[in-house]
Amino acid sequence: MPKFQAPKGMRDILPEDQVYWEKIKQVVKNLAKDYGFGFLETPILEEVDLFIKGTGQYTDIVEKEMYSLRTKGGDQLTLRPEFTPAVIRAYLENGLSRLPHPVKLFSLGPIFRYERKQKGRYRQSYQANFEVIGEKDPILDAQLIQLFFSISKDLGLKNLITQINSIGCSRCRPNYRRMLVSFYRSKKKHLCSDCQKRAQRNLLRLLDCKELKCIKIAENVPQIIDHLCDDCHSHFRSVLEYLDEMEIPYILNPHLVRGLDYYTKTVFEIWPDDEEGRQIALAGGGRYDGLIKLLGGKDMSGVGFAIGLDRMINLIQERSIKINTRTKPIIFLIQLGELGKKKSLKLFEELRRSGLGVASSFSRNTMQAQLKRADKMGARFALILGQKEALDETIIIRDMNSSSQETVPLSKVIAKIKKRLKK
Ligand code: HAM
């Protein structure tokens, strides 16, 4: 056992896994741009109060999961446990409200939650987060779900399903809450200890408890979609119609409430549609029509979601999906002798600049060892620059498939390779 290890629930992302991370970030960035999102980076540390107010004082995140610290100057900061309140803070602080609305912002980076260890659950994980600020229209709720499915498609991920629900608004929810209070009144003592606490402060969360005895009780609970106000009802109906229109797979889950306090109306999660994926949501989000005002802005709507990148990559690997990357070098540059070695540094840079993928070991290895390495890396061509070639200003192009070799002038090598690639 090494003397030092990464903190519990946190891990190194090794070079061999970077192809997945590069690919997913590239796909997310391309699609975010296509859907009109501007890229926003926020600090990893924020004021603790931002999440107490934004995420909610009695949520698991705030009660149990934040990594908080006090600076030498006495500020109370925390490693961001999610993006949403931070994005709204940045929107308000930087006067982004002067932009035409809706303002669409997208962020990418780590979040930190002190969670219990479980498959697919990390204390440092990575999210791609999307927020649309200042638009009530239900088409945006549906478009965000469509964006998720476009991203998954580009990654080769199929068999995913949206779970969706509406949890009402400040007009209809109090009434539903009262119904829950009376439903649970006689059943309180049969709930798990967490739910007994939730019954005081975070009633909706009783619906999605994972304890068997609480699931059993919740089976008969009145469903919120039967008690929505007209506005929430028609909003939800429209979202579902848009999803039908786009043929996006979804199921209604009346017990989906989400663990964050700011949601109103639509809430959704996206899950793998297979047995092994049951416990692992790949993405989650919803509408938050009161949050902007709560954090000091105007009374305006918002809707957003975040994708768990670690979980997406785990699923890609579990399902053995081939990731199409261009990281394989097209060329492996082999150099032999002092003069060959000297010239190879400049040539390496020229090849790299020409846009051809190039690799080299730049070491004192023998020709055989370097060829073996080129083969292992899957290079199409090896370029061999020995003492003789360096003196003659030539180079050998070796086709790694056929092993045929051709000597060409050094000044023409890039053009020659490009011509061969075109064939
Ligand atoms: P969330 O459901 O807490 O929502 O997180 C979104 C996704 O991030 C989850 O579905 C999961 O894939 C991933 N995730 C969260 N925690 C972990 C963890 N400990 N380990 C691995 N993956 C994790 C939010 O964070 C909201 N801010 C989303 C949102 C944006 N709602 C509106 N706008």
Side-chain angles (χ1 to χ4, degrees):
M1 183 90 77
K3 191 165 174 190
F4 294 107
Q5 289 165 24
K8 235 188 230 158
M10 302 189 182
R11 64 216 166 110
D12 304 305
I13 300 175
L14 300 178
E16 68 209 43
D17 286 325
Q18 292 296 346
V19 282
Y20 295 96
W21 288 90
E22 277 166 25
K23 177 72 180 183
I24 201 165
K25 286 182 194 168
Q26 176 214 328
V27 166
V28 163
K29 281 188 174 168
N30 286 347
L31 279 154
K33 214 171 178 187
D34 288 353
Y35 277 69
F37 284 83
F39 187 42
L40 168 74
E41 289 190 71
T42 61
I44 290 178
L45 285 165
E46 295 277 354
E47 272 184 57
V48 172
D49 283 350
L50 176 67
F51 298 101
I52 295 179
K53 205 161 175 84
T55 311
Q57 189 172 3
Y58 300 120
T59 56
D60 283 353
I61 289 183
V62 169
E63 276 194 328
K64 305 182 197 161
E65 296 171 0
M66 290 206 291
Y67 283 86
S68 301
L69 57 96
R70 196 186 168 88
T71 65
K72 290 194 172 68
D75 297 331
Q76 299 277 7
L77 303 182
T78 193
L79 290 172
R80 65 178 169 223
E82 60 149 337
F83 277 96
T84 309
V87 173
I88 303 302
R89 178 208 45 75
Y91 163 87
L92 295 171
E93 184 176 341
N94 296 289
L96 301 186
S97 54
R98 69 186 135 75
L99 299 175
H101 283 69
V103 174
K104 294 174 150 190
L105 299 168
F106 138 71
S107 306
L108 202 59
I111 58 155
F112 301 85
R113 296 182 188 177
Y114 190 82
E115 297 209 70
R116 238 180 296 147
K117 208 169 171 248
Q118 200 174 302
K119 190 176 171 238
R121 213 189 248 178
Y122 307 100
R123 291 184 175 173
Q124 174 172 346
S125 68
Y126 292 79
Q127 282 189 344
N129 185 81
F130 300 84
E131 309 294 354
V132 180
I133 301 169
E135 181 56 71
K136 276 198 203 132
D137 198 314
I139 196 165
L140 285 163
D141 311 26
Q143 200 194 20
L144 288 176
I145 299 174
Q146 182 193 39
L147 168 57
F148 176 87
F149 277 87
S150 302
I151 291 171
S152 325
K153 192 167 172 209
D154 280 11
L155 292 168
L157 276 174
K158 292 183 206 146
N159 271 339
L160 308 175
I161 186 127
T162 315
Q163 297 193 11
I164 193 163
N165 193 19
S166 172
I167 56 170
C169 66
S170 55
R171 258 183 298 155
C172 48
R173 209 182 304 157
N175 181 34
Y176 180 65
R177 247 202 209 110
R178 277 193 288 279
M179 296 174 84
L180 284 185
V181 171
S182 77
F183 175 83
Y184 277 107
R185 189 166 294 134
S186 58
K187 304 174 180 70
K188 227 179 199 162
K189 52 183 177 299
H190 304 295
L191 296 169
C192 74
S193 58
D194 270 352
C195 280
Q196 297 202 6
K197 276 187 232 143
R198 287 178 188 136
Q200 315 290 334
R201 317 187 290 217
N202 208 343
L203 209 53
L204 278 185
R205 298 271 4 230
L206 295 181
L207 302 186
D208 76 344
C209 178
K210 306 288 179 290
E211 292 280 331
L212 210 62
K213 52 185 177 182
C214 302
I215 294 176
K216 272 239 140 343
I217 295 174
E219 271 169 11
N220 299 316
V221 82
Q223 299 196 351
I224 190 161
I225 41 175
D226 297 330
H227 303 281
L228 296 174
C229 62
D230 289 347
D231 183 33
C232 288
H233 190 265
S234 84
H235 185 98
F236 194 44
R237 205 187 48 222
S238 300
V239 175
L240 300 184
E241 280 169 9
Y242 288 125
L243 294 181
D244 287 334
E245 184 64 31
M246 293 186 289
E247 295 180 25
I248 287 176
Y250 68 85
I251 47 169
L252 298 180
N253 177 355
H255 291 187
L256 181 71
V257 293
R258 312 259 309 130
L260 312 152
D261 269 4
Y262 43 70
Y263 290 116
T264 51
K265 295 193 165 90
T266 319
V267 287
F268 62 90
E269 287 181 351
I270 297 150
W271 294 66
D273 193 14
D274 47 29
E275 279 309 312
E276 75 266 22
R278 287 274 168 244
Q279 294 304 314
I280 299 176
L282 299 168
R287 186 160 272 285
Y288 46 86
D289 289 344
L291 180 64
I292 300 154
K293 187 167 176 214
L294 188 71
L295 296 181
K298 283 194 199 142
D299 188 5
M300 64 200 316
S301 302
V303 59
F305 80 112
I307 306 177
L309 300 186
D310 312 72
R311 293 181 181 182
M312 294 285 275
I313 290 175
N314 289 350
L315 191 63
I316 289 171
Q317 292 178 332
E318 272 163 38
R319 291 186 178 176
S320 308
I321 293 168
K322 283 233 151 34
I323 284 292
N324 205 357
T325 51
R326 288 201 300 124
T327 49
K328 264 192 191 170
I330 296 164
I331 296 164
F332 192 92
L333 181 56
I334 294 175
Q335 30 71 39
L336 299 160
E338 268 318 300
L339 197 56
K341 196 165 185 173
K342 257 188 203 147
K343 291 211 166 184
S344 65
L345 272 178
K346 192 166 158 228
L347 179 61
F348 181 86
E349 185 56 15
E350 282 169 10
L351 289 165
R352 195 190 65 74
R353 280 185 188 279
S354 73
L356 295 166
V358 54
S360 173
S361 61
F362 287 124
S363 60
R364 278 205 206 153
N365 290 338
T366 61
M367 171 91 149
Q368 265 66 28
Q370 294 190 64
L371 272 176
K372 213 165 153 189
R373 184 109 198 262
D375 194 40
K376 221 170 163 183
M377 283 188 159
R380 270 286 302 279
F381 302 104
L383 296 183
I384 304 165
L385 192 59
Q387 192 77 356
K388 179 175 182 313
E389 288 77 29
L391 281 171
D392 297 351
E393 295 279 321
T394 58
I395 193 162
I396 299 168
I397 303 178
R398 181 187 174 96
D399 187 311
M400 292 300 291
N401 293 330
S402 64
S403 304
S404 64
Q405 298 196 162
E406 180 192 3
T407 303
V408 302
L410 197 53
S411 58
K412 301 237 164 71
V413 66
I414 292 174
K416 287 261 182 197
I417 296 267
K418 285 193 168 163
K419 202 165 160 196
R420 286 206 194 188
L421 285 171
K422 265 196 193 140
K423 274 189 195 160

